[in-house]
Amino acid sequence: MSLSSAFGVLLSVHSRTMTLTRPGGVSVPIKATPSNYFRNLAGPEEVTFEGKEFVISKVVLDASGFTLPIKKGDRLVDTEMGSHTVQEIREMFDVGASIMGYRIRTN
């Protein structure tokens, strides 16, 4: 099994159906996996920054028809967890440096 295949299997075990939306554009249903990392960071003068993080497979995004790349301002909408605005996108690389997924941080 390749690293990319193992990555897909791992994400499918813990994924949720969400809607990925580009403002003024397309909305598509996708499978996204919530990360165990949630941001509740203390900043200057005890300001708190809150956010959630999700992992999305490139295979899932390619199959959805969503226009890549994912951009800051796109939204992930979940029926239970609500709406999350994308603030940061990090590529996740396979052996050989091909992109196999994206780590999405939201506010």
Side-chain angles (χ1 to χ4, degrees):
M1 178 181 285
S2 71
L3 180 58
S4 184
S5 297
F7 178 74
V9 169
L10 180 63
L11 291 181
S12 69
V13 170
H14 190 58
S15 64
R16 305 177 58 85
T17 299
M18 300 178 83
T19 302
L20 181 59
T21 302
R22 176 153 297 146
V26 67
S27 292
V28 296
I30 61 162
K31 291 282 191 175
T33 304
S35 171
N36 285 334
Y37 175 76
F38 291 89
R39 292 185 296 165
N40 289 315
L41 305 174
E45 299 181 27
E46 299 185 25
V47 174
T48 302
F49 303 96
E50 295 183 10
K52 294 185 177 165
E53 188 171 281
F54 301 89
V55 178
I56 304 171
S57 166
K58 185 173 185 300
V59 171
V60 167
L61 281 170
D62 288 343
S64 74
F66 191 79
T67 304
L68 293 174
I70 297 174
K71 299 177 182 180
K72 187 175 180 177
D74 289 347
R75 298 181 74 74
L76 279 171
V77 181
D78 182 89
T79 55
E80 291 180 34
M81 294 191 297
S83 182
H84 309 279
T85 303
V86 174
Q87 294 298 312
E88 185 179 340
I89 305 99
R90 300 264 175 142
E91 295 88 1
M92 300 176 76
F93 297 99
D94 194 354
V95 175
S98 60
I99 297 173
M100 65 178 176
Y102 301 91
R103 183 173 300 279
I104 310 296
R105 290 187 178 162
T106 67
N107 64 354

